[in-house]
Structure formats: C-alpha cells, structure tokens
Amino acid sequence: MRKKNPVRFHFLKPCTLSSRQGLKKFILSIFRKEKRNLGKLILIFCDDNYLLELNRQFLHHDFYTDILSFRLSEPTKPLVAEIYISVDRVYENSQTAGSSFKEELHRVIFHGVLHFCGYKDKSRKDIKKMRQAEDKYLKAYL
C-alpha cells in the first residue's frame, strides 16, 4: 500500500495552483533534502483580511503579511504545522517585484517550508541564506 503524502492544501480563497500533486511531492522532497522529519503540513490559501486577523490574534501585529507559519507539534516530534498564505498579498507582491504570480506563490510556499527546516530571516545574513535556498528550490521546481 502506498503511503499518503502528508502535505495538504486547503483553499479559503481560490487561486491557481497547477500540478498540485507534483508540488506536494516536491515540498516533501525539500524536507528530505533538509533532513527534517515531516508528520503533516497543511497549506491554507486565504485572503488579506483572514491573515490580518490571524496576525493580530496570534502575533499581535496589526499589518498585512503574505505568510504566517504555525508549528503545532513539539520540537522533538515530527513536524505538524500549518502555513497560511494570503493570495491577495502574493499577487500584490508579484506586481511590485515584477515577477509572475506563479513564481511569487511558489517562493512564498518554499519560504514557509524553509522556516520549518531551520532557515531564519531576521538578520541580513539569514535573509541572504533564505533567499539562496528559495532560489535553489524555485529553479529546481519551476
């Protein structure tokens, strides 16, 4: 019997996400390459207002963001987590960056995954490492 992929997508706001099964497999491969144990990962695609409410409620931040990541499992256990992505913010960011919506959406997805693989983005040095990893996985996937 084939093992079920632990990566799931949930759409509170519709968005174009082609080759969903391939993307789920690729996300799983990132965890393997980064030597991280994945139990279950749910990516929830939503709008700006939904993510703003989560940002206010859980982080006490009163601003829009493109992504929020929540680890639900203990650090010593296989990762169980949720990643919330604002489709509105991703679209606007793609316009600002001059990239396609598809590229920006995948960058944000991989960004969230990489956070759970130990990458950070607070210092310039960490941001550079994160961006290099995002670029590497984007190039391999797209």
Side-chain angles (χ1 to χ4, degrees):
M1 189 167 149
R2 208 169 86 188
K3 190 176 178 184
K4 213 173 177 184
N5 190 316
V7 179
R8 298 275 176 268
F9 299 139
H10 184 69
F11 296 88
L12 298 176
K13 177 168 183 157
C15 77
T16 303
L17 189 61
S18 58
S19 186
R20 293 178 187 182
Q21 292 307 315
L23 180 56
K24 289 177 184 180
K25 288 179 185 174
F26 189 79
I27 290 169
L28 191 55
S29 78
I30 293 174
F31 282 100
R32 282 193 206 108
K33 287 176 186 166
E34 298 289 337
K35 296 177 178 44
R36 299 295 169 152
N37 194 359
L38 177 62
K40 184 177 183 180
L41 178 65
I42 302 171
L43 290 97
I44 299 108
F45 300 88
C46 57
D47 64 20
D48 266 348
N49 291 329
Y50 190 90
L51 204 53
L52 178 60
E53 271 312 304
L54 291 178
N55 209 11
R56 287 174 177 156
Q57 182 179 354
F58 293 102
L59 301 178
H60 309 290
H61 296 160
D62 193 21
F63 54 82
Y64 292 116
T65 186
D66 53 3
I67 185 170
L68 289 177
S69 305
F70 297 98
R71 182 183 189 100
L72 305 174
S73 57
E74 297 296 322
T76 57
K77 303 284 185 192
L79 176 71
V80 175
E82 295 175 340
I83 295 175
Y84 291 81
I85 296 172
S86 169
V87 175
D88 300 331
R89 201 69 2 228
V90 169
Y91 178 76
E92 190 168 302
N93 289 348
S94 72
Q95 299 296 301
T96 304
S99 61
S100 70
F101 174 79
K102 179 180 179 179
E103 181 180 342
E104 188 64 22
L105 181 62
H106 287 84
R107 178 177 299 282
V108 170
I109 290 169
F110 299 155
H111 181 90
V113 167
L114 289 167
H115 268 304
F116 290 126
C117 292
Y119 290 80
K120 296 178 180 14
D121 59 1
K122 297 299 178 201
S123 71
R124 282 187 188 192
K125 184 179 173 186
D126 288 342
I127 291 168
K128 184 177 179 181
K129 287 171 87 173
M130 173 71 87
R131 187 47 63 116
Q132 287 172 339
E134 290 170 8
D135 289 343
K136 176 178 97 172
Y137 288 118
L138 271 172
K139 186 177 178 185
Y141 184 73
L142 296 180

